[in-house]
Amino acid sequence: MSRLPQVFKTLSEKNSKALITFVTAGHPTVDTTVPIMHDLVVAGADILELGMPFSDPVAEGPVIQRSSEVALANGMTPKHVFDMVKQFRQTDDVTPVVLMGYLNPIEIIGYENFVSQAHAAGADGFIIVDLPAAEGQAFVEVATAHSMDVIFLLSPTTNDERAQQICDMSSGFHYYVSFKGVTGAGTLDLQECQARIQHLREFSRLPIALGFGVRDGETAQAVARFADAVVVGSALVKLLNDADTLEVGRESLRLLVSEMRRSMDEVK
Amino acid sequence: MSSNPKTPKSYESYPDASGHFGPFGGQFVAETLVEPVNQLTQAYEQIRQDPEFQKALLADLKEYVGRPTPLYYAKAWSQHFGGAKVYLKREDLNHTGAHKINNTMGQVLLAQRMGKTRIIAETGAGQHGVATATVCARLGLPCIVYMGAEDIKRQAINVYRMKLLGAEVISVESGSKTLKDAVNEAMRDWVSNVDDTFYILGSVTGPHPYPQMVRDFQSIIGHEAREQILKQKGRLPDALVACVGGGSNAIGLFHPFLDDKDVKMYGVEAGGSGIASGKHASALSGGKPGVFHGARSYCIVDDAGQVQEAHSISAGLDYPGVGPEHAYLKETDRASYVSIDDDEAVQAFHDLCEIEGIIPALESSHAMAFVKKLAAGMSPQEIIIVNLSGRGDKDIHTLAEREGIAL
């Protein structure tokens, strides 16, 4: 059973919004990923997105591209990612973990093999960047059979017909990509985003998260005023990229996530 | 061929409406790009059936590109090696020196029709980049070409040619810094500038409609060859041979013959140092089915699904993926795919220079190397058509360096 519905239920009862954090598995080192996952939860993350590095991450900006290259150079494979989730679950059985990545590694391993291993490890769902809903039926069937969620992306270019299809096929929550571009680029047009998310609510009753362009407490707070969840990725990965030492990186990560949490909680 | 239960009645009906060739093809792109590729599909469907557009394109191909290209009987070569008669489809005689411009000419006219004001492209060896820069210069459209930093080092002359033609060449420093990373960067540009930008993709790869659209633009090669051989010999050829990187020149030659069941087809992939060495560019012979650059097809991957760097002396074949229609032709046994290594290609390069007085591209030299083997087992009454996809002037430095000659 996916942990996602319970988290959103609890947050909604507290009238609070979800903070979803993305880091790349195996970056900056293999051994630090699980401690960082716990750090994120302590600092205020409600849901963890764990990036599965891929050789050709076409939707990512330079920051996440670099983290993927580092992680692959560190020898990361899907099996390592499963091991990390398993290890994380030893002390945290509540926080949902969503695996985020690209389709090819999943195709090569096989849908059933991949999903059953992810499920056994304790993951809750998947975001597959280059799997649009129109190509995703077979994967959804496998994931559903294991009671896991598949979150398809929605974007500023998604028309109503596809929005309905995407909403019908997604479970757990919806993920709205805030602008036309790659991760870590662009600036948020808050008014436009708010209007789009409001419009998307006509297609589904699931919570809607906004990602791309959230980088600090201020943007997180602004987004939390109209979205159900706020996703932050590149801003966190950048801290880990830029830090001189691992400890400095982890500390600045904790600080940024706590700041975002605080700012979002002021919204109530 | 009919022994394969997957063989369709006709190949003409592929891809289907959603861009699939059997299990291959499709549109595996991030959600933001779904609408742009759908719009492109619609726009392409319109011009496909628009006689005015087709007439304008054909006129440009005739007057500007220099089509039709000759179908030349390589008598000296055929007599030298014996066996079947070998005919060369001389795509090397096109303006800019390769088949690439057949496609860029079509796509740039479509871009203009769609009201796009900015053109982007990827390039490996630089041939597609040059062909794109050329058509953009002629129509006064700004052109940005993404090229891997490694390829920029290897292909300095083509980089300069693109700049002379007014294009901006952007060095790609991510990943393996080669063609696959240039495609990644072009897709990132496109997703960030979808409103005004047209992505001129250079091969029969990528999400639908590119594999179909590029195939259709390149099919002029096969249509001409079919007409020419019927006129010259009064019959269809026994075999077709073409090199395969992404596979655009091969599909261009093959496609008009797909329903001629007696015409055998051979796609020649780059074997680099040999498939067993792991250093090759043979996605169909040495890779496996996967999803890469927007389509399900064959690609060169490790056990964890990471796409590997390709290796070939020929920069134009140095790509770890291949077009989805080729994957389908392989699966239905309509075409055979073979691998030729660097040494064999270089030998064939020299052979064609010395025997026929034609300097072929290293890409096309792979096809010529296989033709030697194929023709030897056939009779002089039989006919092979080879796509001589490009001229070799661009490869002179690579050859000289390999052979220790200072220019």
Side-chain angles (χ1 to χ4, degrees), chain B residues 1-21:
Chain B
M1 240 172 301
S2 54
S3 60
N4 188 325
K6 290 172 181 163
T7 301
K9 270 211 186 76
S10 167
Y11 285 88
E12 278 301 320
S13 54
Y14 289 87
D16 65 18
S18 57
H20 294 90
F21 302 88

Side-chain angles (χ1 to χ4, degrees), chain B residues 102-122:
Chain B
N102 300 331
N103 168 46
T104 61
M105 188 60 88
Q107 287 200 47
V108 83
L109 291 180
L110 176 56
Q112 211 178 26
R113 170 91 48 126
M114 290 175 76
K116 303 291 182 183
T117 54
R118 178 176 175 270
I119 303 294
I120 58 170
E122 84 294 343

